[in-house]
Amino acid sequence: MIKDAFDPEIFRKEGHTLIDDIATYLAKAYEGKELPVFPAKQPEDSYHFWKNYQLKDNNQLYRDLITHSTHLHHPGYIGHQVSPAVPSSALPILIGSLLKNGSGVYEMAPTGAALERIVPEEIAKYIGYDDGASGIITSGGTLANLTALLCARQEKGLGDIWNDGNNKRMAIMVSEASHYCIDRAVRIMGLGADGVIKVPMNDRYQIEVDQLEICYQKAVANGQQIFAIVGNACSTSTGSYDDLEAIGKFAKKYNLWFHADGAHGGAAIFSAQYKHLVKGIELADSVVIDFHKMMLTAGLCTTLIFKNVVDSYKTFQVKAQYLFDDAVEEEWYNMAKRTFECTKFPNVFSVFALMQQHGGKLFEAYVDSTYNLSKAFYQILETDPDFETAHIPEANIVCFRFFDDTLDEAALNILNKKIRAQLIHKGDFYIVQTILNGQLYLRVSIMNPLTTMEHLKILIRDLKALAGSIT
Ligand SMILES: *Cc1c(COP(=O)(O)O)cnc(C)c1O
């Protein structure tokens, strides 16, 4: 049994069939006709389908895994902020997961460790950092943000928190529109609900710069010690970019760690047209960028870059002598000294391959086309009395709602919720919803480079038809 399981010839045969099946699937997904974007089953249906699954043929199993998933390569996929992967970028991931070279320890991953240094160094140049900037690779932005804030606390922290605990009422400042993982990170760090000071937003959902000083002084008067401030580049709900330059200046004035959360919109660094949105990002002490969002890579992969890479060694002052000859020494190649993960997935293979094959131009073309299309979509919604927009889009995220002036706010919420539920059930589109100022809005993230204005016009038509059938 074990011999068969490891047989290279069985693998060769199944592998060839699998690649053929994936290529056929992709062609069908791009067409956007036969597959529902979201198979729209209830969670219990999905559970029972797989619970009762009977294996007939290995390749049939792989086909079923594909068919019963949400299809990001379908042009009607305009929901969450994960991009469809460039297909070829999944191939290095196959190698990575087969070889399982975890870069926590250099001797387990000589290539992975090198790539995890090279990729952040390369991104650091696009950010506009000087030499001495580099970082780490993590599994997702949530982990990267937590790592950055832990580092900030060690660096700006008042005393040795890692060993002595938190007795200083430490806190950070963030926009009200920050991703929930920032709030969660602060609670994980033991700083409690008071550890997050939410700075109010302006009507474009950006941090209100005038409020920075006010919030800071209020917190200090309250006996809190602020050690960091997080800027959004861009925010999750509406894709709004905070004024990073102003935040950078403010951080400098009070010696705060400035962290830029560019999980989604950090990729604007690649775009001549949209670079202005991240003006001031080079002032940040640390920056997070998700490769699986606006950099098209397979799998999930994130970088956390430090303006001064030496800071990254302060995050965890662990003593794991069986792993490292010297736990204090700054060994760039033993990644676990600076990352949460011990056995670490070599997801960096994918982004390294894409950067080798296309350079920054691929990301620039992607940012430009999706951001431009969002603006055009917004223009159409703006001139249509059946819709109300929530904001002028800066990125590729547009929040809007079906509008009917005979309905009150509560009824509009119910109507828009129903419209979305029926739309995704139909299967031609997948969009999400969000709450802004207490109201429910439909939310579109144009993540698929195959989505065109024609698709969006059909979306508008479908939304109107659904609204008509509900009211
Ligand atoms: C998506 C997102 C995150 C979380 O990143 P994951 O990769 O999903 O863990 C954090 N911050 C912002 C602004 C995001 O858009």
Side-chain angles (χ1 to χ4, degrees):
M1 199 170 171
I2 287 180
K3 199 160 163 281
D4 270 0
F6 277 81
D7 187 293
E9 291 310 318
I10 295 174
F11 173 78
R12 187 195 307 276
K13 198 161 153 284
E14 282 178 9
H16 279 295
T17 305
L18 172 62
I19 297 292
D20 281 342
D21 286 344
I22 293 176
T24 304
Y25 157 74
L26 285 172
K28 206 158 83 174
Y30 296 167
E31 280 288 308
K33 296 216 171 75
E34 288 168 50
L35 292 167
V37 191
F38 167 57
K41 279 196 264 178
Q42 294 302 317
E44 290 302 311
D45 296 335
S46 193
Y47 172 79
H48 289 295
F49 176 83
W50 290 108
K51 182 85 178 161
N52 300 322
Y53 192 81
Q54 301 270 341
L55 178 72
K56 286 174 222 92
D57 167 77
N58 289 358
N59 282 108
Q60 186 56 43
L61 167 61
Y62 308 145
R63 280 192 286 272
D64 289 336
L65 288 170
I66 294 171
T67 308
H68 296 273
S69 293
T70 297
H71 305 296
L72 279 62
H73 291 86
H74 185 304
Y77 168 80
I78 40 176
H80 286 292
Q81 297 157 277
V82 182
S83 74
V86 168
S88 67
S89 74
L91 300 175
I93 296 276
L94 174 63
I95 301 169
S97 53
L98 182 72
L99 301 186
K100 291 208 282 191
N101 272 217
S103 60
V105 181
Y106 178 73
E107 290 170 13
M108 281 300 284
T111 292
L115 300 188
E116 290 193 19
R117 177 173 173 186
I118 292 163
V119 167
E121 280 176 354
E122 195 57 30
I123 305 285
K125 286 191 216 148
Y126 283 97
I127 290 175
Y129 279 146
D130 296 332
D131 291 350
S134 186
I136 60 167
I137 301 290
T138 71
S139 298
T142 298
L143 202 54
N145 279 326
L146 174 58
T147 310
L149 291 174
L150 279 169
C151 180
R153 187 173 70 171
Q154 290 287 81
E155 168 59 19
K156 301 286 182 190
L158 319 139
D160 183 357
I161 304 103
W162 189 267
N163 289 306
D164 301 341
N166 172 39
N167 46 16
K168 300 268 173 47
R169 295 201 59 210
M170 283 187 264
I172 67 159
M173 290 169 71
V174 301
S175 151
E176 277 181 322
S178 64
H179 191 270
Y180 76 87
C181 72
I182 300 289
D183 189 85
R184 182 178 286 183
V186 167
R187 289 168 195 264
I188 291 170
M189 288 161 70
L191 305 188
D194 288 349
V196 176
I197 291 160
K198 298 234 163 129
V199 184
M201 303 177 288
N202 61 23
D203 59 2
R204 301 186 67 170
Y205 301 93
Q206 299 155 326
I207 225 166
E208 183 72 83
V209 173
D210 292 346
Q211 287 285 332
L212 292 173
E213 191 71 35
I214 298 167
C215 290
Y216 181 84
Q217 294 304 345
K218 210 165 125 193
V220 170
N222 185 28
Q224 291 175 283
Q225 314 228 30
I226 300 185
F227 66 94
I229 180 160
V230 179
N232 283 323
C234 53
S235 70
T236 301
S237 283
T238 56
S240 304
Y241 284 84
D242 286 337
D243 182 342
L244 301 181
E245 209 164 32
I247 296 174
K249 280 190 197 138
F250 175 79
K252 190 156 182 225
K253 180 172 172 194
Y254 291 109
N255 189 29
L256 309 178
W257 183 280
F258 172 23
H259 175 63
D261 183 359
H264 180 92
I269 55 171
F270 294 104
S271 162
Q273 192 186 346
Y274 288 106
K275 214 181 165 71
H276 67 93
L277 294 170
V278 289
K279 195 155 171 266
I281 195 170
E282 70 287 351
L283 301 174
D285 295 292
S286 53
V287 175
V288 161
I289 301 178
D290 274 351
F291 299 135
H292 54 281
K293 285 184 175 165
M294 292 304 293
M295 287 175 66
L296 296 168
T297 63
L300 110 144
C301 190
T302 298
T303 189
L304 165 60
I305 307 197
F306 296 85
K307 179 159 58 183
N308 299 306
V309 71
V310 287
D311 287 339
S312 65
Y313 294 92
K314 299 171 188 160
T315 315
F316 309 103
Q317 302 198 331
V318 285
K319 292 197 170 65
Q321 297 296 2
Y322 68 96
L323 282 177
F324 311 116
D325 289 344
D326 182 344
V328 186
E329 178 85 3
E330 290 171 5
E331 298 165 333
W332 66 264
Y333 44 83
N334 284 323
M335 294 298 171
K337 281 193 159 185
R338 295 183 284 156
T339 65
F340 266 97
E341 300 102 317
C342 175
T343 307
K344 204 156 172 282
F345 186 72
N347 40 14
V348 72
F349 283 17
S350 175
V351 67
F352 179 75
L354 273 186
M355 289 173 80
Q356 284 283 314
Q357 291 155 0
H358 305 275
K361 287 283 167 208
L362 177 74
F363 312 126
E364 176 170 39
Y366 175 54
V367 167
D368 289 357
S369 69
T370 55
Y371 281 34
N372 289 342
L373 184 56
S374 301
K375 288 188 174 31
F377 179 50
Y378 167 81
Q379 294 299 343
I380 293 189
L381 294 170
E382 264 293 283
T383 53
D384 189 327
D386 282 342
F387 294 100
E388 191 180 68
T389 53
H391 63 111
I392 299 168
E394 291 179 80
N396 51 341
I397 299 171
V398 187
C399 298
F400 63 101
R401 61 180 179 172
F402 186 84
F403 189 71
D404 178 341
D405 60 11
T406 66
L407 299 176
D408 64 13
E409 293 293 339
L412 280 173
N413 284 356
I414 294 169
L415 174 62
N416 278 281
K417 202 178 157 119
K418 281 189 186 157
I419 292 174
R420 185 190 93 93
Q422 295 191 12
L423 180 81
I424 67 169
H425 188 77
K426 235 177 116 223
D428 297 332
F429 290 98
Y430 176 70
I431 68 172
V432 297
Q433 64 191 36
T434 191
I435 303 286
L436 297 171
N437 298 324
Q439 293 309 126
L440 189 138
Y441 284 87
L442 304 173
R443 179 169 168 275
V444 158
S445 305
I446 301 179
M447 299 303 292
N448 191 330
L450 300 170
T451 305
T452 63
M453 186 47 101
E454 289 316 304
H455 296 112
L456 297 175
K457 284 183 179 161
I458 297 170
L459 170 68
I460 289 176
R461 188 197 67 196
D462 288 2
L463 290 171
K464 287 186 187 209
L466 285 170
S469 72
I470 293 166
T471 46

